[in-house]
Amino acid sequence: MHRRHLLQSSLALAGIAVLSACATTPAAGPAFTSDRISVSVEGAGADVVLIPGLTSHPSIWDDTAAHLVGTGHRVHRVWVSGFAGRPSGANATGEQVGQPVAEEIARYIREQGLTRPAVIGHSMGGWMGMVVAARHPDLVGRLMVVDMLPFMGAMFGPPGATPDQVRPVAEQIRDGIRSVPLDQRRTRAEATIAGMIRTESLREGPIQHTLDSDYDVAGRSFHELIVTDLRPELAHITAPTTVLYVTPTGAPLTDAQLDVFYQLSYQTLPTHRLVRIPEAAHFIMFDNRSRFFAEVDAFLSTE
């Protein structure tokens, strides 16, 4: 697999994109404060936590949140510090970003008194959802992962590659993201987003929010995704899990090959359903909204 194709696929998996800002509604429970995330709440009913991906703003969930509120749910949208214009806070330092953020999401669920909410995460948000569900299985009622693998490092090495084997590539990508010259950021963001969103009219918002993100936080987050293998932890997840995925734009893989890759990646997850979504790129909720909503409804109605 050529490095260019690998990078296109990995960027697609990481979700470096967002839409416009959304209003913040105070949570119903005690005041929650964090230097790694903020959470907005809307609607009433069964709780659903929505986690966006790398550099994504919570407004990527605008249509999804409206659908969920309209079907009787209370929606909790996470905004990660350092992404899409939110100050970096505690995410400004440290080798890890996703795992500490996942712990804050777990703390939010616990302190706000949510009873085993559904968790839906896109890309890196799906990865963080897996962390919460694996390390705090009592907190998550069901989990949906939207276009993400439990070990991104598998995309960067030979079959059976370990985190240590892909670490040099992860370091190269991290440093590359950190050092993108200001005058080249828009061009690169446009190229990346074009491979992640088929619907051209929806790209400009994600491009701008990518530019509004802290590139150091983004680089360290991407590094963490590549070198952290969650596959051994999947067996701890007790929540029924649905994984939606697409064949990445530019990836030299057939649909059948990708199906096998996902089956192998998630084989230790006790209760799961894998669904490849056609006619969509990485942002499934943008490109094939009706199918995405149908899958979300089925996911939430499963006993």
Side-chain angles (χ1 to χ4, degrees):
M1 189 182 291
H2 295 300
R3 180 60 54 82
R4 178 172 63 84
H5 288 139
L6 279 172
L7 185 55
Q8 288 175 338
S9 299
S10 60
L11 286 173
L13 285 167
I16 307 180
V18 289
L19 287 179
S20 59
C22 61
T24 298
T25 304
F32 178 83
T33 59
S34 171
D35 52 6
R36 292 191 184 273
I37 62 172
S38 70
V39 184
S40 62
V41 183
E42 57 204 290
D47 291 303
V48 182
V49 178
L50 301 178
I51 313 173
L54 185 65
T55 76
S56 287
H57 188 279
S59 59
I60 67 163
W61 300 116
D62 278 352
D63 290 343
T64 303
H67 176 77
L68 290 170
V69 169
T71 54
H73 295 85
R74 182 169 62 157
V75 176
H76 307 255
R77 289 200 253 183
V78 175
W79 189 358
V80 178
S81 298
F83 294 168
R86 179 166 175 79
S88 300
N91 294 335
T93 59
E95 184 174 343
Q96 298 177 343
V97 177
Q99 292 172 81
V101 166
E103 291 301 320
E104 284 295 86
I105 295 171
R107 182 170 72 87
Y108 174 83
I109 293 172
R110 185 181 299 110
E111 292 186 1
Q112 294 300 295
L114 307 188
T115 303
R116 294 180 63 80
V119 175
I120 302 176
H122 175 244
S123 196
M124 179 180 173
W127 188 91
M128 291 188 287
M130 285 186 270
V131 173
V132 176
R135 299 179 187 178
H136 304 276
D138 59 312
L139 295 182
V140 179
R142 62 192 65 221
L143 173 66
M144 174 177 277
V145 178
V146 182
D147 210 36
M148 189 59 185
L149 292 163
F151 179 41
M152 272 189 65
M155 299 290 292
F156 293 88
T162 66
D164 284 341
Q165 288 174 317
V166 297
R167 189 174 297 274
V169 176
E171 292 172 350
Q172 180 183 7
I173 292 175
R174 177 199 61 201
D175 296 344
I177 293 173
R178 284 170 162 173
S179 61
V180 176
L182 288 174
D183 62 353
Q184 295 181 23
R185 288 185 176 183
R186 171 164 281 276
T187 299
R188 295 195 186 187
E190 288 174 349
T192 299
I193 298 305
M196 295 165 55
I197 302 174
R198 288 188 178 188
T199 312
E200 187 173 355
S201 61
L202 296 178
R203 293 175 185 167
E204 180 55 34
I207 291 167
Q208 186 57 53
H209 284 94
T210 298
L211 299 175
D212 290 342
S213 293
D214 184 325
Y215 275 51
D216 179 68
V217 177
R220 286 184 288 108
S221 297
F222 210 143
H223 178 276
E224 180 186 14
L225 292 174
I226 296 173
V227 302
T228 307
D229 187 356
L230 294 181
R231 291 175 299 182
E233 299 188 51
L234 295 181
H236 301 305
I237 297 177
T238 58
T241 302
T242 296
V243 180
L244 307 182
Y245 63 99
V246 300
T247 301
T249 303
L253 296 171
T254 66
D255 291 345
Q257 288 172 326
L258 191 69
D259 291 345
V260 172
F261 191 58
Y262 266 81
Q263 290 164 10
L264 293 174
S265 295
Y266 282 98
Q267 62 182 334
T268 59
L269 183 59
T271 305
H272 69 277
R273 177 171 173 260
L274 302 176
V275 184
R276 177 167 43 79
I277 305 297
E279 300 179 2
H282 183 52
F283 278 70
I284 297 172
M285 66 285 273
F286 288 3
D287 288 327
N288 197 339
R289 185 175 64 173
S290 60
R291 176 64 184 275
F292 180 74
F293 286 174
E295 292 295 342
V296 168
D297 290 345
F299 158 75
L300 292 173
S301 64
T302 302
E303 295 297 333

